[in-house]
Amino acid sequence: MTDPALTNADLAPTTAAQRTWRWYHFVALWIGMVMCIPAYTLASSMIGVGMSWGEAVFTVFLGNLIVLIPMLLIGHAGARFGIPYAVLARASFGTTGARLPAMMRALVACGWYGIQTWFGGEMIYTLIGVLRGHPIGGAIIPGIGINAAQLVCFLAFWAMELWYVIHGMDAIRKLETYTAPAKIVICAVLLGWIYHRVGGFGPLLDKPSAFAAGGRRPGSSGRVSGPR
């Protein structure tokens, strides 16, 4: 009798007909992963602690490039041959030991899922406040540090994500395929709107790095910990 811990419907390799992702689907997925509010927040926080805009953009780009390489190596077996990561890891860790990297990968995914869901909920919360003409506000719920409206917005965005998770990778593929180009267009429109709204980029692009010679913190870009 086959051990269900070694093979089941979720662990079995997908057939060629089931592998519907093409190169442009992976490109769309990558755009969706990189062009997100946490990435913008990361870059802006780097500028806040002293980096120039060029240093901040390069740092985010370099970080994504470094992550991209192992992601491509790990994902190749799945994209090309339909072999799940949990099965691929058995070649290095054994059938029992492979559970450790699979669990570590799942924990990281849960953390990132939570971060993205929080930002998505905050987007809904902020948008409602803008449409109402004032922030929603409300008393902070003890223990979680947010108000009831923020919690409802978080759960609402979570429900939207859950719908796609339940409907599987094909639903996610379709979502990313259509939203990736839309993201590029929307970002360009927003950038143009901001530029005309404030009459240019102001001192942002001309602001020198605080880590350059003569700056506030020369030579300390490698150990950025926060504003001083």
Side-chain angles (χ1 to χ4, degrees):
M1 184 174 180
T2 304
D3 186 352
L6 297 179
T7 179
N8 53 54
D10 294 323
L11 295 176
T14 56
T15 64
Q18 291 174 309
R19 298 195 287 275
T20 57
W21 287 62
R22 301 295 180 258
W23 67 267
Y24 48 88
H25 297 130
F26 289 104
V27 171
L29 176 63
W30 185 248
I31 291 174
M33 293 171 63
V34 174
M35 294 185 64
C36 57
I37 296 176
Y40 304 149
T41 304
L42 176 62
S44 63
S45 66
M46 290 177 177
I47 295 176
V49 298
M51 286 188 178
S52 65
W53 74 270
E55 289 175 334
V57 171
F58 174 75
T59 301
V60 174
F61 173 80
L62 180 62
N64 280 285
L65 182 62
I66 293 173
V67 172
L68 174 63
I69 296 173
M71 286 180 65
L72 289 175
L73 294 174
I74 293 173
H76 176 73
R80 185 69 181 275
F81 305 107
I83 301 174
Y85 173 77
V87 175
L88 177 66
R90 294 175 182 176
S92 302
F93 296 89
T95 55
T96 301
R99 298 174 183 175
L100 177 60
M103 182 60 68
M104 293 174 64
R105 195 169 186 243
L107 290 175
V108 172
C110 289
W112 187 235
Y113 184 87
I115 293 171
Q116 294 282 27
T117 306
W118 167 253
F119 275 103
E122 279 294 282
M123 175 271 298
I124 298 175
Y125 179 80
T126 302
L127 181 60
I128 294 175
V130 170
L131 294 176
R132 287 167 55 95
H134 59 82
I136 301 176
I140 300 299
I141 302 175
I144 61 176
I146 58 176
N147 60 44
Q150 286 175 302
L151 178 60
V152 170
C153 291
F154 174 82
L155 294 176
F157 194 83
W158 191 358
M160 288 188 286
E161 291 179 309
L162 188 60
W163 187 91
Y164 285 96
V165 172
I166 292 174
H167 285 79
M169 292 302 298
D170 194 52
I172 296 174
R173 175 179 61 84
K174 293 177 181 178
L175 173 68
E176 294 290 351
T177 301
Y178 292 113
T179 57
K183 276 187 175 184
I184 297 175
V185 173
I186 292 173
C187 285
V189 171
L190 286 175
L191 184 62
W193 176 81
I194 293 172
Y195 182 86
H196 290 288
R197 182 76 173 181
V198 301
F201 293 114
L204 178 62
L205 300 184
D206 298 326
K207 184 179 179 181
S209 172
F211 309 115
R216 301 194 321 269
R217 304 163 64 180
S220 60
S221 59
R223 52 180 185 275
V224 174
S225 59
R228 294 179 183 176

